[in-house]
Amino acid sequence: MKRSTQTIRIGAVVAASALVLAACGGGSDSDGETASGSTSKGDGVLTIGSLLPQTGSLAFLGPPEFAGVDLAVKDINEAGGVLGKDVVHVRGDSGDTDSGIAPAETDKLLKAKSDVIIGAASSGVSLTVIDKIMSAGAIQFSPANTSTSFDEGDYSKPDLYFRTAPSDILQGAVLANLLIEEGRQNVAILARQDAYGETLATEISKNLEAAGSKIAAKVLYSEKTGPGDSQITEIKNAKADAVVLIAFEETTTVIPKLIQAGTGPQDVATYFVDGNTANYGKGDSASLPDGTLEGTKGTIPGADAGDAFKDRLKTVDPKLKDYSYSAESYDAVIVSALGAIAAKDDSGAAIAKEIPGVTKDGEKCTTFKDCAALLADGKDIDYNGVSGPIELGETGSPTAASIGIYEYDAKNKISPVDYISGTI
């Protein structure tokens, strides 16, 4: 049964300094400048490119993310569009890091004059195209990137990158807090060895150890081949009281291996993360035998978008079954459109300068139509979306967000049991 949203006592899990960032402006350093320093002006038509997974290890996320983009474009155009013209949507397939198709697909989206590219879902894929997108003067706006890499180094300063999903600092804290609340004192972590898996494994480990729990084992496996027998044995020999599996679609092959080793979900309390918290029942794109995951819990960034939003998503995709990151995809498009209206310009650099401002500190509004009307009246706005408060900071990441906690039933279907809010 779903409980009401709560606020996590993150201070009990990690040092407060690691989770408090100033919520200040973002975007480009000067009016009209791209990441490469050149100036540009939009062509008058806001073009949204979507670089989302139609194929690859995160293909299950593609339908809800594409549906979120499609619904946002539909709502915007029905409300009068942006700068007096309809928004145009161009689709691209991000694939995964193994297929390596994202750079070529990005070229296609840029050739189609995309001002904003929504995607990729995978942090690893985004890192292969982020420089290409920003150098072209376009915005990259991911609905699902959670790696801390986008808030560090060269990407820590205001630029053309944004995301509506919170970094793994928050998801790591929430999952660690869940483990602690459920009495897990000796935790094994099995994670894919990529930008996503390594970062999240580190954040979970750091938070658990800060609270006094032990890491029985932290095993990283090849994202291409999955864990080998020796790595499964290492998890088994750790004799942990909980196993955290940080994975993508390979979950359907990893879980049977853990079961065979006597350390599956019915032997040891098991926890998933957003990369693999999906439905695995009969009729889903990937499935496991009934009862395999019963009682397993997982985390997905995002607030409760509600049944009304899910019903509206089905008007653009009647076959939709999963909803992960659909709200974040929707909000990324809406925020971009509002940024263009505020800038009176559809170029990436101009939109980027306005994006943080339309997500905080102004008059609150929750729909594109209402927010656009306020902007037309010269008002400062604070768009609160279906994915949560958003409130983007100087690195382009949310400074306040929610993480949903989900539990599997006997049919390997997930349902939310709690939503935890926090600040970063």
Side-chain angles (χ1 to χ4, degrees):
M1 181 177 180
K2 185 176 69 177
R3 300 201 300 265
S4 58
T5 302
Q6 299 180 12
T7 301
I8 186 172
R9 294 186 178 91
I10 292 179
V13 184
V14 294
S17 60
L19 290 168
V20 180
L21 300 177
C24 46
S28 53
D29 293 328
S30 59
D31 193 10
E33 284 195 2
T34 68
S36 60
S38 61
T39 58
S40 64
K41 181 74 175 177
D43 61 6
V45 177
L46 177 61
T47 301
I48 301 291
S50 52
L51 186 67
L52 298 168
Q54 293 174 314
T55 60
S57 56
L58 284 180
F60 75 93
L61 289 179
E65 291 176 337
F66 278 116
V69 174
D70 287 337
L71 181 60
V73 171
K74 179 173 179 284
D75 286 350
I76 292 166
N77 289 342
E78 287 180 351
V82 172
L83 306 177
K85 295 184 179 179
D86 281 354
V87 173
V88 173
H89 178 205
V90 183
R91 289 191 176 212
D93 180 12
S94 65
D96 55 23
T97 53
D98 193 25
S99 67
I101 65 173
E105 290 289 289
T106 298
D107 287 338
K108 181 184 77 174
L109 295 175
L110 292 173
K111 188 176 180 180
K113 299 182 179 180
S114 296
D115 302 297
V116 180
I117 293 179
I118 306 298
S122 160
S123 295
V125 172
S126 282
L127 288 169
T128 69
V129 297
I130 183 172
D131 293 326
K132 178 190 288 284
I133 294 171
M134 291 199 301
S135 293
I139 288 172
Q140 181 174 7
F141 207 145
S142 175
N145 287 168
T146 57
S147 173
T148 56
S149 298
F150 300 101
D151 293 331
E152 300 169 343
D154 290 340
Y155 304 123
S156 63
K157 61 180 180 294
D159 51 34
L160 301 177
Y161 176 85
F162 299 90
R163 55 178 164 181
T164 41
S167 82
D168 283 324
I169 290 175
L170 184 56
Q171 185 172 193
V174 169
L175 185 50
N177 190 67
L178 175 63
L179 288 159
I180 292 163
E181 284 185 343
E182 297 190 346
R184 314 305 177 192
Q185 296 294 313
N186 194 41
V187 179
I189 299 175
L190 181 59
R192 55 190 287 126
Q193 191 168 21
D194 62 5
Y196 169 76
E198 292 182 63
T199 299
L200 193 46
T202 296
E203 290 298 324
I204 294 168
S205 299
K206 179 176 67 177
N207 286 291
L208 285 172
E209 290 174 335
S213 290
K214 295 181 180 179
I215 302 301
K218 185 165 72 172
V219 180
L220 301 177
Y221 63 83
S222 169
E223 60 180 296
K224 295 183 179 180
T225 62
D229 292 343
S230 63
Q231 292 171 309
I232 295 295
T233 299
E234 188 176 350
I235 294 295
K236 175 185 177 180
N237 291 343
K239 300 186 184 302
D241 61 12
V243 173
V244 176
L245 177 59
I246 303 173
F248 289 165
E249 68 171 4
E250 69 271 15
T251 296
T252 54
T253 60
V254 177
I255 289 296
K257 291 181 179 181
L258 291 172
I259 292 172
Q260 187 174 10
T263 187
Q266 301 310 311
D267 305 299
V268 182
T270 302
Y271 298 81
F272 289 174
V273 291
D274 61 308
N276 58 340
T277 301
N279 290 316
Y280 296 98
K282 294 177 182 177
D284 293 314
S285 57
S287 63
L288 289 164
D290 285 355
T292 299
L293 300 177
E294 186 173 9
T296 295
K297 291 182 179 177
T299 52
I300 303 176
D304 181 8
D307 291 338
F309 179 69
K310 293 177 181 178
D311 290 342
R312 294 210 307 122
L313 285 170
K314 286 189 173 181
T315 65
V316 296
D317 184 356
K319 296 180 180 179
L320 202 60
K321 295 180 179 180
D322 292 312
Y323 299 93
S324 298
Y325 294 113
S326 56
E328 286 77 8
S329 300
Y330 179 91
D331 283 341
V333 177
I334 297 296
V335 168
S336 299
L338 293 172
I341 293 172
K344 297 182 176 60
D345 187 349
D346 62 282
S347 68
I351 295 171
K353 186 179 180 183
E354 299 295 337
I355 278 179
V358 300
T359 67
K360 62 190 178 185
D361 299 334
E363 186 171 340
K364 293 189 185 301
C365 50
T366 58
T367 68
F368 172 80
K369 183 177 181 179
D370 290 345
C371 292
L374 289 171
L375 288 173
D377 290 339
K379 302 288 183 62
D380 183 21
I381 65 167
D382 176 1
Y383 172 68
N384 283 353
V386 288
S387 67
I390 305 176
E391 295 188 10
L392 301 180
E394 65 176 356
T395 63
S397 298
T399 58
S402 294
I403 305 288
I405 297 173
Y406 296 77
E407 186 170 358
Y408 284 89
D409 63 16
K411 299 293 185 180
N412 300 326
K413 302 285 189 178
I414 56 171
S415 59
V417 294
D418 208 350
Y419 288 90
I420 307 297
S421 63
T423 58
I424 305 173

